[in-house]
Amino acid sequence: MFSLDHSRTLSLTACDIGTPTMTTLNEICLSLADVADGASLQSDRIAIVLRLGSSFSSDTASLFSSVSSNAAGSLVFVESADISSTAHRLFTDEEKKRFVGKVDGKDAESLLFFWFPHSANDATLDVDGNGEDHPNCGLPQLPCRTLETGFTSLKATKSALFLNSPDRIKTVLATAFAEQTIKSKNEKHEVTIECMGGLTVSTNQQLILYTIAFVFEAGKRTSPFASVSAGSLQLMSCSFGTDTPTALGSSLLHVKGSVEVESSSFSKLSTTDEKGLIWMEQANQNIVSFVSTTIACCTSSSAPLISLTLSSTSRQDSWDFDFSGISFTEPSSNDAPTGTLVFISGSSFATQIVPSRFPLINSETDENKFWGFDSLTSVDSSLLVYLVEIGSEVDVDGKKGKDIAYCGHFGVACQTIGKGIGRGTAEHASKQINIQDATKMDERITPNSITLSIVGETGQQPISVLEEGQFEIKNGKLVLSSLSFETDVASFARSLIALHTAGSLTITSCSFTSFSSSTSPSVLSATIQPTQSVTLSNTSFISCNSTASTRSGVLDVTLSEGSTFTLTHSTKPFTSCSSPKATANQIFISSPSLSPSVISSCLQFVWTKTSTSLADFAGKEGDHPVPVPLFLYFSSLGEEVFISNDSCDVSVCGFSEYPCASLAALHSRIGDTPDTTVTFRTSIDHSAELTFTEDTTLAGNEQHLVIKETSTSETPNSLFTIRANMSIEQLFVEIPSTFQHSSLLQCQSGSLEMSNCSLTQKDSTPIPSTLIQILSGSSLSVSKTFFTRVISSNEKAGVISAIITESTYFLLNNNTFASCSCSGQANAIFLELENTTTVHADSFDYLMTNLVLDSSSSNSDTEIEIDVFVVGNNLDKTMTSTKWENSFSREKGSSLWGEDTATGLNISLLPYLVALEGPVEIDDDGKGFEKCGHFFLFCNSLELGLRRMKDASVDTMKVMERITATTQLEPQCDLCIEGNDESSTLSFSLDGCFINSPKDATPSKLSFSSLAIIVPSESSHQSLFSSLSGTLSFTSCTITGSSPNPIAFSLISLTAGDLIFSFTHSKSMVLQSTPLLASSGSITMTNDNFTSISRVDGLGCVLEADSSGSILVQHSLFVSCMSNSTTNWIHLLGADANTLNKENWEGTLNASSLRSSVLLSTSTPSASSVSDIDPHSLLYEFYPRVEHRIVVQKDSTNEDHALCGSPELPCLSVDTSVGLTKVRTVEINGEGEVKTQMRMDGDFLTIEGHKKRGVVKMVGKGQIVNNVFDDPDTLLLSFVSLDLSRSTLEEGGIVVNENGEVKLDSNTVSSLSTIRSSLVQLTGGQAVVLNLTLSGLSFSRTVFDFSSFDSVSLFEVSTTNCSIEKFVKAAEGTRFSLKSSSFVGSNTSPSENEEKEEDLQENVCDWPDSFVFLINTTSSFESVKFTHHTQGAVKVDGGSLTVEGSIFHDNAVVNSSFPSVRRNIHCVSGELTMETLSGGDGTKDFPSAWIKVEEGCEFSSLIVDAHAPLFVPTLLPSLSKVETNKKTAQKTVKLAGKLLIPCGLSLEVFEWNERSKTETDKSTEISLATANIQNWNETSLELILNESSLSNTLSVEHEWQLRLVFGDGVAETEWITVKQSRAAEKKAQTTEAMKVLLPIVISVIAALALFTIIVCVLCCRRKAKQSEEKQNLLNQQELDHVEVKVDVEESMNMMVDRFSNNFPPKTLSESKLENAGFTGNANLTKKEDEEGEEEPHKTAQFLCEAMKCDGSFEMCVVDTRHSLHTRIHKPAPNAPPLPRFQIAFEIIEGLKRMSKEDTLQRFLSKLNPHRILLGTEDQVFLKVEETAAVPPDKHPLHPPNANEPHPTPHRHHLDAISSYDNDNLQRWVAPELGETDKTRDTAEGRSKEDLVKASVFSLGLVLLEMETGIVPFGEIDGINAQRQLGTGTRPNMTDVGAEMKDLISECLDVDKTARPTLSTVEERLIEIGQKTEQLTSGEAESIQDQLKKRTAAAPI
């Protein structure tokens, strides 16, 4: 197998090692050692060549070990595909260089890197940059050139890569083995990381980087430099970054496994990655460690520098991370929290975040540098929470806090107080819990041996206490501050705070709300041990209570010796704290000894008795069984003490909340306390005798003092002995029948005062006592006290026995003695006046007023009942009535009795008490006693009464019933005679009268009051009452005549002085020649009534007065008062007009009464002459002009008074009013005239109509001028609610000269007779016109002439049927605004307005002026409508005009040739902007805008074609043609089309080659303005052209294409093609043909006529037979009949289509239809007659005849009625005005009838103008569906009538289909019915009430359309219109009157329940028609009668 050649070279020739037959070298037959023995091989030769197969292997030692090692050359050459996988160690290290080989055809210097790879444990690679990067480079003999190649060449499980020089990483290197190391070999080498370079550590693999300086190239990285996935990364002595800042873009490290960093640094690296610079995700058993690591000047803009995420699926104790060896130098991070360096997220931080794993942290500066999120507790906070001991302060926040193990500080507050208390170290003797926000307490808190402080940080922080929450203090101190405790627990089983053993409590600025306990006090239960304390400061308790505690509802404190309890508060600490079972609602203090010092030290807050009670604060002292109110112990008893039967007599009783239980105990409490008030709380029983030596008040509060026991003493004393001053108030004393004391009250010295008391004896057994005994030297005052059923056997009196001296007083006032009796001298009172030497009226101070004495029995055997007995000396001096006021009466005068010791008289006291001090009472039945006049001792005459008055110095005499004046009485002093009641009457005898005469020249007053004065028929005096001086007065009297005969004297005659009448009624008197009252003095009459007073001769039946005095007559009434048969009441003789004023006659006279009933004579007239009396003179004085407001009202007078202007005296003309000084408002009541030029005198003037209605009539040159001389900025001239009609304006109108403002508001102008001026002419200032209505006017000048004005605004202005040449002319500089207005021109006949034909070309599209002429103004139109203005609507010459939401409609030039021409806007120059149009021209239905734009006008619009704003013509090709006449060599171009208006039109003609179908190059344009045109109208024109003139431009043989050029040459119509014909030749040819054909045609016609006659005869016979058969059939059953209704706007071809479905084809044969005007069969179209007029009735008549010919129909009637829609929008030329009200009434009546018929109710919802048909006389018919069979007596609108054209019974209505489809008809359907479709009827499922309400809605729209002539929302389709109405949007109602607008708006209410009823609508229409004078009252009644008759004729 081997051979050795001559060169001694061994070659392998035939055997390949590794083949199946030879696998090992041991099998080689020749030993290499033997062959080579002794041989010397050449060094440059390869000794052995081996080709190794894939099966090659060797298990022997070195095969070539015997070969000499001296050989220099290569020994073996090996060829193999994979040497590294097949070779073993065959060579020694010395032999390595002798082996070469080839791998995959590539030569290798050495086989060592194949045959000797790194072992599994210690494989290494060197990278120096000098070797070749073979795939397996890295041996020392063949190092790798780059780090990347070396990293991929590592093959061993544990490998190392050594860097010998700096290198770089360009791509991502991934680990492939368990452990790989990259290390600098000799020194720290630099590795540059390119943007795409990086390292990746795979699962379960480890990468170690050692002593490497990583430098990063600039550029944004997209992935981390090192990524570890479930593996491990170690960084040993490495550095990252340089001194130059480097922006990475991504994270530096992303580790999902372990990372260990030691002695490494990171410098000036920055990232924007959201995960930070180092991002670690740690799983179970992973390690994160930083040892001796420095991070310097690194930044992360979006996240912390280092992020660590701990897996939540691993065990909580499995984490191994350590940051203790990390240090940061100038770190920075923009992520929140600010400056976060390390962020850890995971769970269970409490066991994992420990200080040993982190560097030393400064808690003050590093709080935000280490942060984390604990998913287990959802805590996102600083890691200092877990790293720093909490110390003595813990934070608690119930909203943001978390109850984690380390909560309480650094942003993680504890959630509950219990958790907060558990935090901190045990060695602290005190702990503070800071409450940062609302939290909860859900467990028991017990501070043991420490001081626990719970403090609210800001204000009172809320703490919610749950079921288990409680403070229990056993051995520590609890401090609560700035907290608000509250709970939702209904009731606790314990107190919130319990202190039972050693411990202290301090509560400051806290509140406790809604705490309740079922067993104990709700808030605090404390037993305070010695030296311990409980302090509550500024703490409040709200709605706290206990349901079972018997001591306190809030605080229960038990004190010990040496303990302290303090409650300090600046305001009331308890609110709404009430516990029904507890002794104290709020505080209960129990102490061994309670004293004022103890309690005052406990309760240190402002204490008021009114706010505290036993129920609030109580205490228990030692073993005392009864709790007491606490305030007793620190409050002195004071001036008021209390007593209550339901309390206990403790030592401190008597206070308000704790009264004494008995008077005895209270008496001992009072002791020597002066000025004490005892207040009773309840009724008190009493029996002990008490003596009061200090001033005392018993305030009974209406309580009872029940005397229970009697004295057992043999000599019983008084029960109460008084030796000081005692006051008893509101005390009810009950005295038993066993009462044996000498008295109840005995005043021995001092005084006794009683008020509002009651003393009652229980039964009728007499007692021996006098209840009140006043001894000498004592005083008594009793008021408003009741003594009831006091029955005594005392010798003096049963109630009061008193001795009165000169030094004491005895006062009784408003007392009642009821059923009191005594067997002694007086039942009630015994009064002894102590004897004195000098006795006079004031000797004794006693007063007995308003006593009620009602004794039950007499005092002795006599019948005299003595209630009061007085004993004294000289009673006539001491008894005065003033001291007994209202204490005695005439009826019981004997009850007052006395004994006068001086005279020995024992008599009634009345004689001593009746001194006359009041009115002298007189009566015809009285006595003439000298002291008469009172106590039923009436005087019997006026004379005696006057004498008694004089003696007693009184001035009043009272007539008790009646009295008669029998003599002349002259009092000569002030005298008042008054009546007592209605029976008081004063009459006169013949000589009786009163004369008020002066005494000593002193005027006196004679008064009569409340008397019925009877005037006799005769008297010997001139008057019954006369006054010579002084005052004569009558008040509330009635003066009545006694006879109907005339009397010859006056009732009153006043010579001088004053006459006063007040509330006096004079009636039924006839005077002969004198007045009732004659006065020469002053007269005052107020609220008087004069009835049926007449004077036979003379003027002034009631009053005749001269000028000597003043007169005042106010609020008086004159009824049926006559003088000389005239209504004249008052006659003033020569009165001084200057003394009269209106105020003196207020409420009595008006203008009419001043003119007729009050007469003023300039001199004294004779009785029969009134010629010198001015009946109007009083008007000047009584009703002077009002200063600022003047009334104008035309009356029967001829001229204005100088002082006119008030409502009572209006001026007759506006001229006078405006000319008056300081007039600001002129009110027109009725009509006022302006005849001259009036100028304003002030800064403003308003002329307004009275109650919004007034007429101002301008006559001649009448004019009101707004002056501007004073202050032009404040001048305002206003016209409000006026009718300016019926004026004759010659010139000027209303003028505003230069500045100022004029305002017109709510005025109307109609039917002015003559107008030669403008209505308003303005030359400056401003103008505002509101709600102005002009109707029926004819103006030859401008209505509003604004020649030079600043600002003009017109709102809601309307013109109707007016002939106005120019409405507005606004000149340069005016700002003109026109809004919400409507202008309707006059409806003149065509003959009046039609322009002459010769002026047609000039004026048909031009107009010299317009209704509104704007010259250089700034104007805007909004919601304005112009209609029927033939002269043109608007003209703009300069300035600008903006039009928005307006309508231009039918502003037509009345011209028969061009009826469509309109004159809307003519813009000569300036700017014209059309923004929106709400209807009319320029919209979809009327595309031509008719806006003429000149070259100087800048026109812009989005809705109008800017190229053709005037009109858009069209050509009809089928009717246009060109004819040639050879004889005349002329062509006639006949054009047909629409709007062929001669305004700038030209004809453009092109040749058209019919054969080639192409245009030729010949064309021409012909201006129609200069062409030869014949027969030009709107739809056609004939143009004559000479062929000679066309030969050069057009061919006369080819066809032509024509189009019209319009719009100033910028717009064209569509091209049409016309053929040329030779009319003359055709006519000649036709004539020749007719000569030949005429005989033939005549013969054919004759034959056809004969045939027709035969056919007609046969048809008639057949028809007669059929009629006979049908008549027989009608006798058995009724036949259906078809009524065809034809409306002019309905489509005839659609109607025919419907007939086609009902008739056999033979009936509607094509020939018959053609004869009827139709062509075709399936789709019939209507023909027109020769004049172009439609013949719908003729067509329908034919159809009817066709149906009659068919056997199925008996008759067909052509209905010539037309719809309301047609009547409104397409009226006949000579149609009368639409009777809107008549139609409305008939519609309403029809709807009512339909609502009563079940079969017709569903049609209520379908009312619209298309379904309302009008007869020849505008009778109303409603359409119904064709399938509805309606008997004649049930027809909704028309009952059977012989005059109607269709009286046949049982007729089916077959309506022709309207051109309006359902969608358009939807606009009239009420919105609540929804939208109609083909499958649903809007009335389906609706109630009758709903359908009636829907019909009211539809009716409202019909009324609106009749009023405005516009379809509601006609610019949009019906469905959208209905939707608009459904939202509450209303159509434009500008032209509708206010009252009609209100009615329509109510009908259109979206809320159907708010719509009026049909009857209400009918009534409102009648009212509106009458108010607007569109319907007279007679017409209204006639309409109602017609409707009633119609209803009666066919009731439903």
Side-chain angles (χ1 to χ4, degrees), residues 231 335 342 349 367 420 425 499 721 780 835 901 959 1120 1380 1398 1404 1481 1488 1497 1499 1637 1695 1732 1909:
D335 186 43
V342 178
F349 280 4
E367 177 181 351
T425 57
L499 189 152
T721 300
L780 175 67
N835 290 333
T901 58
V959 179
S1120 301
S1380 303
E1398 55 269 22
V1404 70
D1481 297 334
S1488 295
C1497 177
F1499 176 70
L1637 295 177
M1695 185 180 74

Side-chain angles (χ1 to χ4, degrees), residues 538 550 576 789 810 920 945 1151 1391 1583 1623 1658:
N538 292 322
T550 59
S576 302
R789 203 174 61 240
F810 182 85
V920 174
S1391 59
L1583 173 64
L1658 295 176

Side-chain angles (χ1 to χ4, degrees), residues 1471-1737:
E1471 299 179 4
L1472 174 61
T1473 302
M1474 303 293 293
E1475 292 189 352
T1476 58
L1477 292 172
S1478 58
D1481 297 334
T1483 58
K1484 180 179 178 181
D1485 296 334
F1486 306 97
S1488 295
W1490 300 103
I1491 300 174
K1492 185 173 180 60
V1493 179
E1494 304 285 0
E1495 291 183 0
C1497 177
E1498 182 179 344
F1499 176 70
S1500 62
S1501 174
L1502 297 178
I1503 56 175
V1504 176
D1505 187 356
H1507 297 298
L1510 189 61
F1511 66 96
V1512 179
T1514 57
L1515 290 176
L1516 300 178
S1518 60
L1519 299 179
S1520 300
K1521 57 186 176 180
V1522 180
E1523 295 180 351
T1524 303
N1525 191 325
K1526 280 191 173 183
K1527 295 182 179 180
T1528 60
Q1530 291 181 335
K1531 286 185 177 293
T1532 301
V1533 180
K1534 295 184 177 181
L1535 299 179
K1538 298 179 180 179
L1539 296 183
L1540 303 181
I1541 310 300
C1543 301
L1545 284 182
S1546 62
L1547 180 65
E1548 191 173 0
V1549 184
F1550 275 83
E1551 278 191 5
W1552 179 255
N1553 193 327
E1554 182 63 24
R1555 294 183 178 179
S1556 61
K1557 303 297 183 182
T1558 60
E1559 296 180 359
T1560 67
D1561 58 353
K1562 293 184 177 182
S1563 64
T1564 187
E1565 183 173 351
I1566 304 169
S1567 174
L1568 299 183
T1570 58
N1572 184 4
I1573 299 178
Q1574 298 180 355
N1575 301 324
W1576 193 348
N1577 58 47
E1578 188 173 297
T1579 59
S1580 65
L1581 64 85
E1582 294 183 6
L1583 173 64
I1584 308 300
L1585 301 175
N1586 294 321
E1587 291 186 357
S1588 58
S1589 62
L1590 295 175
S1591 58
N1592 294 330
T1593 57
L1594 296 174
S1595 173
V1596 297
E1597 301 296 335
H1598 292 159
E1599 293 183 352
W1600 287 356
Q1601 276 194 331
L1602 308 177
R1603 69 178 179 185
L1604 292 176
V1605 179
F1606 59 96
D1608 294 331
V1610 296
E1612 306 90 6
T1613 63
E1614 296 292 334
W1615 289 101
I1616 64 170
T1617 303
V1618 297
K1619 296 182 178 180
Q1620 300 186 40
S1621 62
R1622 300 184 180 273
E1625 293 181 0
K1626 288 187 177 181
K1627 184 175 180 180
Q1629 294 174 359
T1630 301
T1631 302
E1632 294 297 329
M1634 289 298 295
K1635 291 179 180 180
V1636 177
L1637 295 177
L1638 185 58
I1640 300 174
V1641 172
I1642 292 174
S1643 300
V1644 173
I1645 290 174
L1648 290 175
L1650 180 61
F1651 177 77
T1652 302
I1653 292 172
I1654 296 172
V1655 171
C1656 288
V1657 171
L1658 295 176
C1659 289
C1660 290
R1661 291 180 179 179
R1662 179 183 177 187
K1663 183 175 181 180
K1665 183 177 181 181
Q1666 290 177 347
S1667 298
E1668 183 178 357
E1669 294 175 353
K1670 286 188 176 182
Q1671 186 62 40
N1672 295 333
L1673 183 60
L1674 284 173
N1675 294 332
Q1676 301 176 4
Q1677 62 181 5
E1678 297 177 348
L1679 292 179
D1680 292 337
H1681 305 278
V1682 176
E1683 177 181 354
V1684 179
K1685 297 180 181 179
V1686 179
D1687 200 354
V1688 295
E1689 81 275 10
E1690 293 177 334
S1691 174
M1692 290 300 301
N1693 54 343
M1694 295 181 68
M1695 185 180 74
V1696 172
D1697 289 343
R1698 291 187 52 187
F1699 287 141
S1700 301
N1701 297 327
N1702 294 279
F1703 300 107
K1706 65 179 181 178
T1707 306
L1708 297 178
S1709 62
E1710 183 174 356
S1711 60
K1712 291 183 178 180
L1713 292 173
E1714 288 180 351
N1715 292 335
F1718 290 85
T1719 60
N1721 189 10
N1723 297 315
L1724 302 176
T1725 57
K1726 183 169 50 177
K1727 288 185 177 181
E1728 297 179 349
D1729 59 7
E1730 295 179 358
E1731 287 78 18
E1733 297 292 335
E1734 300 176 353
E1735 295 182 310
H1737 303 310

Side-chain angles (χ1 to χ4, degrees), residues 304-315:
L305 286 176
I306 302 175
S307 297
L308 173 60
T309 302
L310 305 177
S311 173
S312 60
T313 59
S314 301
R315 298 193 311 272

Side-chain angles (χ1 to χ4, degrees), residues 884-900:
W884 294 80
E885 183 179 356
N886 296 328
S887 295
F888 54 89
S889 63
R890 308 179 191 94
E891 294 84 357
K892 299 190 66 175
S894 60
S895 65
L896 304 181
W897 212 262
E899 179 182 353
D900 191 342

Side-chain angles (χ1 to χ4, degrees), residues 1803-1816:
F1803 302 118
L1804 291 169
S1805 64
K1806 303 179 180 181
L1807 182 71
N1808 60 66
H1810 298 274
R1811 286 187 172 272
I1812 301 172
L1813 303 181
L1814 303 179
T1816 55

